Amino acid sequence: MKRLLTLTLFLGLAWGQVTAENKKGDMEKNERMGWWREARFGMFIHWGLYAIPAGEWEGNTNHAEWIRTTAQIPINEYDKFVDEFNPPKFNADEWVRMARNAGMKYIVITSKHHDGFNLFDSQYTDYDIMSTPFKRDIMEELANACRKYGLKICWYYSIMDWHHPDYLPRRGWENRSPEGADLERYIVYMKNQLKELVQNYGDIGVLWFDGEWEETWTHRYGKELYNYVRSLQPSIIINNRVDIGRAGMQGLTRGGEYAGDFGTPEQEIPPTGIPGIDWETCMTMNNHWGYNKNDDNWKSPKDLIQKLADIASKGGNFLLNVGPTAEGLFPQPSINRLAAIGKWMKTNSEAIYGTQASPFKHLSWGRCTQKSIKGGTRLYLHVFSWPANGRLVVPGVYSRPDRAFLLSDPTGELIVHREEDALIINTPDVAPNPINSVVVLDLVGNLDVNDPPMISAENDIFIDETNVSITSVRENIIIRYTLDGSMPSLKSPIVDGPILLTNTARVSARVFRDGKPVSESIHTEYTKVVPNPDVKLNGIAQGLKYSYYEGSWDQLPDFNKLEIVATGIASNFDIFFREQNDYFGFQYEGFILLPEDGIYSFYTDSDDGSRLYIDGTMVVENDGLHGMNEEKGTIALRSGYHPIRVTFFEKGGGNQLKVSYKGPNIEKQNIPPNILFYKKEKTFNEYEFR
Ligand code: FHN
C-alpha cells in the first residue's frame, strides 16, 4: 500500500510538474507575443540583388525574387549583380516613416532570401552587402530607423540557400556538383549568421524563417534551430517556417510538436477565426514579392483596407509586402496604397490594434473586432456596406447595450434599440468612410451573442456506435437537439451528456434560454457504414510496387497511360528513387495489413499533388500544385489486407511525400513498412473480396 501511495504521489508531482511547465510555457509565450498581438499590422520587404533585373530576363517579364531559379541563371552570371547593387536613393528613415504612417507596427525584411545574398555585413561570407559598391549595412540602418520611429525590426531568413556550397539539395536544373557539400556545416553557417542578426542589431522582434520545405530540412533541425534562436534572445518571436509543420500556403501548423510561435498563411486569409492560434497572413500588393517593373496588377486601397479588417476580425495579423526598386525606392503604387491605408488608420486604428476576433460567425454588411473594456465589451463594427435605411442590424446579441457611436465622432451618440435577438443602431444617411466605417457598440457584462453549440465526435462515420458531444461556452442556457435534422424546439430533448448513436443520424442543436431560442441551429451528419471486406492473399512479400515517371504536370496525370521510366519494389512511399528533383511522378501499389475492424483515417502530406486509394476508392484528395499540404480521408475497413495505391507528382521547388494513418488503438503515424505488402506476380486489380 505504501508503495502505491508513493507511486501515486510521484505521479501526482510529475503531472503537477508537467502542467506547471506547460503553464509556465504558456505564460512566457503570452508575454513574448504581447506586442505582436497588439500590433496586428506589419510591413514585409522583399529586397535584394533580384531588384536589379526587376523581374525581366531574356524577354520573360514574370520573374521576381526567384529569378535565379525561374530563369535558370547560372550562379556566376547571377553573382555579377553583386557588382551592380548600389541603391543611391535608399533612405531607411523614409521607408520606416511610410510604414509608420500607414499604421504598421513592425517591419520584416529579407536579410537573406533563397538566393543566399546577405543584405547585412556578415563575417561568415563575402556574399553580402559589403561586397557591393554600396558597402553600407542596410540592416543596421533599417534597425536604427525602426528604433527612431518606434517600430519593431524583424528579419526574414531563408533556410534554403541556392548559393552556399554546403546547402543541399542543389537546383535540379543547374550543373553544380554536390560533391563535398556538408549540410551540417551549412547549419553551423546559418547559426553563426543568425547569431549576428539577433545580437548585432539590438533586440529583434521576429525571426521570420522561410524555405523550410525541401526534404533535407527535418523536424529535428527545425526544433533545434528554434531553441537555438530562442537561446540568443528569449523574447524573440519565431514563425512556424523554422520547422516542417506548416501546412502549405494555408500556413497553419499541423498537429504535433512542431516549432513556431505563429502560423503563416500566404496570399490567403483563413475562412474563419482560429481560437487560441496566433497567425499572420502575408500578402503582396501586386503579384510579386520582389520588385517586378512590369507587374501593374495592384490590389486597390479598398481591397487592402477591407482585408486588414477581415484579418483582424479573425484574430490574425496582416503582413503587407513592398518590393523596393534597385534604386532603393518603394514603387509609387505601393506608396499610394500605404498612404491610403494610413489615412483610414489615422481615424480607425483603435478598431485594429489589440483587438480580438469577431464573436459573430458572419455579418452581411462587414466585419467585427472586439476589445474588453471596464464592465463589458466594446464591439468595433466595420461597416463595408452602409445601410440605406438608417438601420444597422446586429443579429443575435443578447448582451445589454450601453452606448453606440461612430469611431470618427466619439463624442456623438447613436440610438440603439432591441428587436428580438437583434440590436438596431440608427445610423446617419452618409457613411463616414466609403470603404469601411467603424461603428462602436459598447455592451454590458460578459459577451452573450448568438453562438450555436459545437457538435463533435471522433469521426463522422461509424460501424456499430459512436458518441456525439454537444457543448456551448455560454452562460445560463440549455441545449436542445434532434437526430433527424429538424429544427430543435422546446419539445426536443435537452443535452445532458454525450449522445450515443447506433444508427445514421443528422444531429441538429440549438441554444435556448428562458424558453426561447438564443442561437441559430447547427447540424452534423453521422453515418453508420459497413466496413469494406479484406482480400484473400497468398504469395506476398513486404514492400510496395512503384512505378516512376517523368514529365511536367500541374495536376496528377493518369499514370497508367504514361510510359514508365523505372519500376521496382520500395519498402515504403519513398521518392528517393527519383532520377531528378523536379518534373517527376510516382505510383505505389500494394496492400496494407490492418489489425482490427474499425474506422481508419489516412493522410498524405505532399509537395506537390498526391492521392491515396484504398480498395480502389479514393480516400485522400491532395492533388494540385502546392507547398507541403496535408489532406485526410476516413474509411471503414475489416481487419486484414486491403489494396492501397498512392499517386504523387512534383513539378518544381520543394518535393516531399509523407503518408500516414490512424486507426483503432493506433495514434496518427507514418505507415510503417512492416504492414505494407505486394503480390509478386498478379496485377493490382485481380483480387476477389472475401
Ligand atoms: O519562396 C518564398 C517567396 O519568395 C516569398 O519569400 C514568400 C513570402 O512568404 N515565401 C516563399 C513562398 O512561400
Side-chain angles (χ1 to χ4, degrees), residues 21-34:
E21 276 170 11
N22 288 347
K23 278 206 177 70
K24 179 170 175 287
D26 290 347
M27 278 167 57
E28 283 170 355
K29 179 174 181 183
N30 286 336
E31 198 175 318
R32 181 164 76 238
M33 300 300 290

Side-chain angles (χ1 to χ4, degrees), residues 44 46 65-66 110 113-114 156 160 208 210-211 213 241 246 249 266 282 289:
F44 214 169
H46 276 71
E65 75 286 352
W66 268 69
T110 51
H113 203 264
H114 310 331
Y156 166 111
M160 176 167 68
W208 212 98
D210 202 8
W213 53 79
R241 301 190 187 191
R246 169 175 62 122
M249 291 315 204
E266 179 170 326
C282 58
W289 298 99

Side-chain angles (χ1 to χ4, degrees), residues 358-363 365 367-370 376-381 392-404 416-425 439-452 474 477 511 513 516-520:
S358 170
F360 303 102
K361 293 279 183 287
H362 170 73
L363 293 167
W365 37 258
R367 301 294 185 270
C368 174
T369 54
Q370 61 169 308
T377 302
R378 172 161 288 183
L379 299 184
Y380 296 96
L381 309 173
L392 182 65
V393 179
V394 189
V397 180
Y398 300 92
S399 305
R400 180 165 60 84
D402 178 35
R403 65 182 286 243
V416 189
H417 71 277
R418 177 173 293 284
E419 288 179 11
E420 291 194 341
D421 72 322
L423 289 179
I424 313 298
I425 301 173
V439 174
V440 179
L441 175 60
D442 286 349
L443 300 170
V444 177
N446 289 337
L447 194 58
D448 186 6
V449 298
N450 169 7
D451 222 356
R474 297 171 67 188
I477 51 105
V511 176
R513 180 185 291 141
K516 286 184 191 158
V518 289
S519 89
E520 293 156 354

Side-chain angles (χ1 to χ4, degrees), residues 83-98:
D83 301 331
E84 293 179 50
F85 192 79
N86 190 9
K89 296 177 182 171
F90 168 65
N91 181 317
D93 282 19
E94 272 178 19
W95 284 15
V96 176
R97 276 198 300 271
M98 283 191 275

